[in-house]
Amino acid sequence: MALAARISRPFVPRLFSRSFAAAAQPQTFAIYRYDPDQQAKPFLQEYNIDLKSCGPMILDALIKIKDEVDTTLTFRRSCREGICGSCAMNINGKNGLACLLYIEPSSKPIEIQPLPHTYVVKDLVPDLTNFYNQYKSIEPWLKRKDVKAKDDKEYFQSREDRAKLDGMYECILCACCMTSCPSYWWNPEYYLGPAVLMQAYRWIADSRDQFTEERLAWVNDTMKLYRCHGIMNCTNCCPKGLDPAKAIVHLKEQVAETYTDAWKSMMTEEIVKNKGRESGMMYM
Amino acid sequence: MLSRLTRPAANAAARLAKSVRKVSTTQIGGYEVFDHSYDAVVIGAGGAGLRAAAGLVGHGLKTACITKVFPTRSHTVAAQGGINGALANMTEDDWRWHAYDTVKGADWLGDQDAIQHMCRLAPEVILELESFGLPFSRTPEGKIYQRAFGGQSLKFGKGGQAYRCAAAADRTGHAILHTLYGMALKFDCLFFVEYFAMDLIMSSHCSASEGVKRRVVAASRRTSGDDGKCLGCVAMCMEDGSIHRFGAHSTIIATGGFGRAYQSCTSAHTCTGDGSAMASRAGLPMQDLEFVQFHPTGIFPAGCLLTEGCRGEGGILRNSEGEPFMARYAPTAKDLASRDVVSRAMTLEIREGRGVGPNKDHIFLHLDHLPPETLAERLPGISETAKIFAGVDVTKEPAPVLPTVHYNMGGIPTNWKTQVVKDAEDTIVPGLFAAGEAGCASVHGANRLGANSLLDLVVFGRQAADTTAELVKPNSPPVVLPKNAGEASIARMDKMRHCSGPIPTAVLRRELQVTMQKYAPVYRNADDLAKGKEAVVEVMKKFKDVGVSDRTMIWNTDLIETLELENLINQAAQEMYAAEARKESRGAHAHENFPDRDDENWMKHTLSWLDKPHVEDAKVVLKYRRVIDQPLDKEMHHVPPAKRVY
């Protein structure tokens, strides 16, 4: 019995014949397909697989479909243990990592779509260039004003100060939170988004960093920071259990506490210095 | 010796030159090909690749970093335990003790000059990483926290357990990779993301009939005049299918290992030995591929990694009788013995019927006796992983574990300066370097100590950049690529894209994985290895019957996975042959018919070649190369071979 492909596509014979014996546990997946060669309207293609011969995670199902049913199905994946962030996608309406989400057997098809409101390159592969550029723009490295002497060891950081970074340094840049945020949907070019703002705060909260005020001034902008309205989709879907919304609250608090009018000239100086700075991303 | 990483002087003209993309195009084999020219090209953007790229830019060299995944998706991100270095933050420590441990851990197959170089530089590179913002865990004094790790001792093995593994909870690899990515961003490195590198461009592939000529193996018989220089590489952009030739005075391969040749591995799907296979297709040898590390504690059955740091923080392995059996196999180090020792112990326990679970086929890792606060602070990541993949709350129950393929000690042979060598006489291949897991310097010899790999990446990534800077001047005149460079690769890619054989890629890949798992596991024997050779040859031949269904040029993962499969077969075949030939047990290569180490006959590196570039036509050829047993200089004494007991 051929696997059900419920829309009219030319039938391509497969090497595997799947027989649905009594012990099988069939599950339908409705997966977003977009072919950049055809550039036709995207559609949901249904695939039916037997969960008994499939691993427990959504990613296992996707790999099984790709290996055994339709090798043209395209998606990003790498570590399969939830640390690389490649397989971020929208499953049954919620963003998450396919490798960390269990398949919940259901009579209704499990819907798998790419991350919302992104340019889709093909099938489940979104273009995240803007996100990566925004991450670069907050300068995610330690910035010091002094120079280390030759025999100096590590910068001192107390355990309490180090603990302030917990819940932020673990971010894997999967973009689940970014693409779940309605503000980011409407203003991706200007609003930095939860992940980038949380990383901005990660460096502000790092006791070893000496450019705290400059970093605060950099994000203090009506579009960059204040498009956040506390919608909370970000914290709700973070697959690593992090809390970008809370980081943004702390960020806004610290901005309000620290603000001085000198920030205006500090910002102008930064923008002038950064002119012509390439993002470093290459794409043809 | 190694230069400190400093930002190149702000030079507006230099920046402008870099940002104007001068690309020329040409037509090869029906495909439009874009040509780029750089001082240096790095293939791979994991720990070693990023450190090399940042280092090169720091030296003022025009650099491109080609990677098939976004840099922070590289498998370095999944490393957990830590990075070794004699910082002496927890106890007194000395890098020579670390070097001794590494030489012993490698079962005396490591090159002592490279080991000295790595261990001596360890404290400096760790402090450099910290100065870029790496959020190491801290001691009460605010210094970098260091934990106990496998095979690490004080006073040349006589002073008890060493605490020299600098850690960021149990997410050190994640912290290192993200810090290195930040470093690369700071240095404005140019990345070609989701470009799949297909082959190296070598100068001896100059003639018009390059597509037809095959590279003859017998590197040691090569006549002078053909310097076999590396001129760059050819890659395919996944986003639009365009082909790109990168001409460079220095090409650095940092593409990682090939764990996916096995059915069960901690490796990512992307660990397919691409750079190593590229070098192999260019007629270069691989070294010591038979040494594959089985990490003792991969979650059963998922295969996800539970760091050695679990045992470093006090975790204990127990069999079905509840016995902490490592005390019998390694009386001194117990659970923190070298990884190959622990994996073998676990395998024996299961063989002798003391495995746990309904099928008695795995072992329990107990962390439930540790204070929950320790687990929350030092091992939060694996607590989560165990919960998700094994359904276990490690504060209350043991986690099911099994030795799982984790690392390749072997790779592209290089000297301690990361220059690739192509024969037993250490003849250097000009313009080609290898660093990280893809390289074999060899610091890990027959077995790698935990937390030495992250160190290997940063030290040798940096060294590759520094060696390049010695040899290549910034803004050098562009490399002249032969007109038909890359023709063979493009023809091969085109052939694979249109192939319609009966065997789907996934099926042949599965067959390879089952073959390797069955015939070259933790314990190997003559029978299995002989059968394994035959089976792997079968897989090699079957590659000509592979079928690809997706014909597009855009994000054709079917094609990419097929090219990756060829790379896996390339490496796995050499591994199987090398394993069958080595008639001794050393480090991770445990041969049941030859249970002892044989220094008289076998203290040598294996060099393996494929005699033709394409796996379906090729045979494996083996030669040997001496181990460098003398250190670089007088700062360290030579470590003479001894019986390896933990």
Side-chain angles (χ1 to χ4, degrees):
Chain A
M1 180 172 135
L3 279 148
R6 294 250 213 97
I7 56 149
S8 55
R9 287 202 123 200
F11 176 67
V12 180
R14 295 286 153 201
L15 283 179
F16 293 89
S17 65
R18 205 132 288 280
S19 58
F20 279 32
Q25 193 182 5
Q27 173 68 47
T28 310
F29 289 83
I31 305 181
Y32 183 101
R33 301 302 308 275
Y34 170 65
D35 183 350
D37 288 322
Q38 301 302 318
Q39 295 192 347
K41 190 168 164 213
F43 56 93
L44 290 179
Q45 180 162 358
E46 291 198 356
Y47 299 96
N48 214 314
I49 58 166
D50 176 14
L51 293 184
K52 281 265 179 327
S53 59
C54 179
M57 306 302 195
I58 298 276
L59 184 63
D60 296 320
L62 285 171
I63 290 174
K64 186 178 168 73
I65 293 169
K66 185 182 177 64
D67 285 351
E68 296 172 14
V69 184
D70 183 354
T71 57
T72 65
L73 178 63
T74 303
F75 49 91
R76 290 194 176 109
R77 88 285 179 259
S78 184
C79 74
R80 62 88 165 87
E81 58 186 283
I83 190 68
C84 74
S86 304
C87 62
M89 50 188 78
N90 186 285
I91 293 140
N92 278 342
K94 188 168 172 185
N95 287 356
L97 296 177
C99 64
L100 287 184
L101 287 167
Y102 278 95
I103 300 170
E104 275 156 39
S106 153
S107 52
K108 292 201 309 201
I110 296 178
E111 249 189 50
I112 303 181
Q113 303 224 23
L115 292 174
H117 213 274
T118 52
Y119 287 106
V120 175
V121 180
K122 180 178 176 182
D123 293 349
L124 300 169
V125 176
D127 185 342
L128 296 174
T129 316
N130 185 44
F131 168 46
Y132 299 141
N133 288 349
Q134 287 170 322
Y135 178 61
K136 185 175 182 181
S137 75
I138 54 117
E139 303 199 331
W141 54 81
L142 192 66
K143 293 169 75 170
R144 301 275 302 189
K145 297 195 164 142
D146 54 24
V147 175
K148 232 187 193 181
K150 196 172 176 303
D151 286 323
D152 272 354
K153 297 276 170 105
E154 62 266 54
Y155 294 121
F156 166 84
Q157 183 171 57
S158 69
R159 284 162 60 94
E160 294 69 40
D161 279 338
R162 168 61 181 79
K164 292 185 190 147
L165 303 180
D166 285 334
M168 296 195 289
Y169 85 95
E170 303 93 323
C171 175
I172 61 177
L173 302 180
C174 68
C176 283
C177 63
M178 301 282 283
T179 53
S180 71
C181 175
S183 274
Y184 191 72
W185 295 343
W186 315 143
N187 288 296
E189 309 89 347
Y190 307 112
Y191 176 44
L192 290 179
V196 173
L197 287 172
M198 183 156 86
Q199 289 312 299
Y201 188 63
R202 173 249 178 282
W203 292 103
I204 288 163
D206 196 326
S207 57
R208 302 168 295 172
D209 189 273
Q210 293 174 332
F211 276 69
T212 311
E213 213 182 337
E214 289 85 342
R215 290 184 185 273
L216 286 165
W218 183 254
V219 298
N220 177 37
D221 177 272
T222 176
M223 294 305 286
K224 284 189 197 170
L225 173 60
Y226 292 99
R227 288 312 91 204
C228 172
H229 302 300
I231 296 168
M232 297 292 282
N233 270 5
C234 52
T235 301
N236 185 262
C237 76
C238 176
K240 303 299 284 179
L242 307 180
D243 197 343
K246 187 156 87 137
I248 294 175
V249 165
H250 287 319
L251 185 52
K252 287 177 181 169
E253 277 171 3
Q254 203 166 335
V255 164
E257 274 166 22
T258 329
Y259 179 80
T260 66
D261 281 336
W263 280 18
K264 285 206 186 71
S265 54
M266 207 190 297
M267 275 288 282
T268 322
E269 221 180 283
E270 273 300 307
I271 292 168
V272 164
K273 271 200 310 199
N274 280 332
K275 206 190 293 195
R277 188 182 164 91
E278 245 196 300
S279 68
M281 306 300 292
M282 277 296 283
Y283 48 97
M284 302 291 286
Chain B
M1 171 67 74
L2 284 193
S3 44
R4 285 205 113 180
L5 196 60
T6 48
R7 193 117 187 234
N11 184 336
R15 277 179 185 272
L16 213 54
K18 199 170 52 173
S19 60
V20 170
R21 262 185 281 137
K22 289 195 279 282
V23 287
S24 61
T25 72
T26 182
Q27 279 272 343
I28 295 184
Y31 290 88
E32 195 177 21
V33 175
F34 296 83
D35 285 336
H36 309 252
S37 185
Y38 289 92
D39 294 329
V41 147
V42 181
I43 308 175
L50 286 180
R51 184 59 185 84
L56 290 164
V57 177
H59 283 296
L61 294 165
K62 199 164 138 213
T63 309
C65 183
I66 302 170
T67 167
K68 71 177 179 182
V69 296
F70 182 73
T72 62
R73 320 290 178 210
S74 305
H75 203 47
T76 306
V77 81
Q80 297 173 350
I83 174 172
N84 284 332
L87 290 168
N89 280 353
M90 311 292 280
T91 61
E92 67 159 331
D93 204 353
D94 189 318
W95 65 262
R96 293 166 192 81
W97 302 342
H98 180 191
Y100 166 83
D101 289 333
T102 304
V103 171
K104 176 181 171 185
D107 217 347
W108 279 273
L109 204 70
D111 293 323
Q112 295 197 25
D113 59 347
I115 290 175
Q116 174 184 6
H117 186 60
M118 183 178 81
C119 297
R120 183 166 54 186
L121 275 159
E124 189 180 327
V125 298
I126 294 177
L127 292 175
E128 182 185 69
L129 282 171
E130 195 271 336
S131 74
F132 275 95
L134 206 158
F136 280 112
S137 296
R138 298 283 167 162
T139 64
E141 299 84 44
K143 297 202 267 190
I144 294 172
Y145 168 72
Q146 295 182 281
R147 56 161 55 115
F149 229 65
Q152 302 290 338
S153 71
L154 298 169
K155 301 202 168 83
F156 303 104
K158 302 183 183 63
Q161 179 69 42
Y163 289 74
R164 68 169 72 100
C165 173
D170 60 351
R171 303 180 177 104
T172 318
H174 164 92
I176 285 182
L177 192 61
H178 282 258
T179 302
L180 286 173
Y181 182 59
M183 218 192 214
L185 291 178
K186 173 173 177 170
F187 282 74
D188 230 351
C189 292
L190 196 60
F191 286 102
F192 287 81
V193 177
E194 287 167 350
Y195 278 63
F196 184 78
M198 298 191 294
D199 273 302
L200 296 173
I201 299 172
M202 307 293 284
S203 65
S204 47
H205 283 248
C206 278
S207 65
S209 55
E210 178 229 351
V212 178
K213 234 188 220 167
R214 291 177 311 227
R215 200 161 176 87
V216 179
V217 171
S220 52
R221 295 198 307 250
R222 194 179 303 287
T223 54
S224 60
D226 174 359
D227 62 356
K229 191 175 149 78
C230 180
L231 300 174
C233 70
V234 58
M236 176 167 75
C237 173
M238 288 169 70
E239 192 180 356
D240 64 0
S242 54
I243 310 290
H244 297 255
R245 293 191 303 191
F246 293 86
H249 295 277
S250 159
T251 305
I252 300 172
I253 298 180
T255 50
F258 61 99
R260 281 281 153 174
Y262 278 78
Q263 198 176 353
S264 171
C265 58
T266 64
S267 313
H269 289 280
T270 48
C271 299
T272 51
D274 300 333
S276 307
M278 278 165 55
S280 181
R281 281 193 288 276
L284 297 170
M286 295 295 111
Q287 179 170 278
D288 294 342
L289 287 188
E290 66 268 41
F291 298 103
V292 171
Q293 182 170 80
F294 286 77
H295 192 289
T297 53
I299 291 185
F300 176 84
C304 304
L305 180 69
L306 290 182
T307 175
E308 189 163 275
C310 295
R311 287 169 282 136
E313 298 291 343
I316 298 177
L317 294 163
R318 290 181 194 272
N319 57 23
S320 57
E321 290 162 17
E323 180 207 355
F325 57 88
M326 280 313 301
R328 268 189 286 124
Y329 294 87
T332 315
K334 303 203 189 74
D335 298 82
L336 284 176
S338 217
R339 285 181 183 172
D340 55 329
V341 172
V342 182
S343 290
R344 280 194 289 273
M346 292 166 74
T347 308
L348 284 177
E349 288 293 302
I350 293 170
R351 257 197 208 172
E352 289 169 16
R354 290 186 291 278
V356 301
N359 299 321
K360 296 183 172 302
D361 54 3
H362 55 279
I363 298 285
F364 275 149
L365 172 65
H366 282 263
L367 296 169
D368 42 324
H369 56 286
L370 300 174
E373 304 79 50
T374 307
L375 288 174
E377 188 187 344
R378 304 278 183 230
L379 300 171
I382 58 98
S383 304
E384 192 65 28
T385 307
K387 172 99 59 79
I388 295 174
F389 290 97
V392 152
D393 177 355
V394 292
T395 59
K396 301 196 179 74
E397 351 162 37
V401 295
L402 190 69
T404 310
V405 166
H406 177 67
Y407 186 82
N408 298 105
M409 273 67 79
I412 304 172
T414 73
N415 56 25
W416 68 271
K417 298 177 91 172
T418 72
Q419 294 170 296
V420 172
V421 299
K422 65 183 184 189
D423 53 30
E425 290 76 45
D426 296 355
T427 311
I428 290 174
V429 178
L432 188 60
F433 304 78
E437 193 176 346
C440 186
S442 161
V443 284
H444 308 304
N447 170 72
R448 170 174 76 76
L449 292 182
N452 266 0
S453 181
L454 290 175
L455 178 59
D456 172 9
L457 305 183
V458 197
V459 169
F460 291 102
R462 177 165 143 161
Q463 185 61 54
D466 289 350
T467 310
T468 299
E470 285 171 23
L471 301 169
V472 179
K473 299 244 171 335
N475 286 312
S476 293
V479 167
V480 176
L481 287 179
K483 221 164 63 70
N484 295 326
E487 191 178 56
S489 314
I490 293 168
R492 176 75 165 170
M493 181 274 295
D494 182 67
K495 178 169 168 226
M496 294 277 87
R497 181 176 150 224
H498 292 107
C499 70
S500 44
I503 310 179
T505 303
V507 169
L508 190 59
R509 183 172 59 220
R510 191 46 149 195
E511 188 178 327
L512 174 72
Q513 290 170 337
V514 168
T515 300
M516 298 307 289
Q517 195 79 41
K518 186 162 176 208
Y519 297 118
V522 176
Y523 274 104
R524 295 132 180 220
N525 61 64
D527 253 350
D528 278 347
L529 289 173
K531 288 197 195 120
K533 268 171 79 169
E534 284 168 28
V536 96
V537 166
E538 274 303 302
V539 171
M540 288 165 87
K541 293 209 193 98
K542 279 185 184 172
F543 189 72
K544 70 182 190 315
D545 294 324
V546 86
V548 167
S549 313
D550 202 347
R551 298 276 180 252
T552 182
M553 281 307 286
I554 300 178
W555 259 91
N556 189 339
T557 45
D558 194 2
L559 171 64
I560 301 280
E561 284 188 20
T562 307
L563 296 173
E564 287 172 341
L565 176 60
E566 177 176 9
N567 296 334
L568 280 177
I569 297 174
N570 178 307
Q571 298 291 291
Q574 295 180 60
E575 179 195 335
M576 190 61 89
Y577 271 72
E580 197 273 340
R582 184 170 284 266
K583 311 266 194 270
E584 66 155 358
S585 287
R586 184 185 294 264
H589 177 67
H591 200 314
E592 287 172 318
N593 303 79
F594 302 95
D596 298 314
R597 195 175 88 205
D598 179 359
D599 284 344
E600 199 185 308
N601 295 308
W602 284 101
M603 192 185 277
K604 52 194 182 184
H605 293 298
T606 308
L607 289 180
S608 60
W609 283 261
L610 284 189
D611 67 345
K612 309 248 170 53
H614 297 143
V615 294
E616 61 267 28
D617 315 311
K619 291 200 173 24
V620 178
V621 174
L622 297 177
K623 285 200 197 333
Y624 294 90
R625 175 178 170 242
R626 91 217 177 294
V627 172
I628 297 170
D629 59 1
Q630 291 305 316
L632 269 183
D633 56 42
K634 295 208 169 32
E635 285 191 29
M636 173 178 139
H637 292 303
H638 154 73
V639 181
K643 193 152 158 34
R644 186 162 169 260
V645 175
Y646 283 98

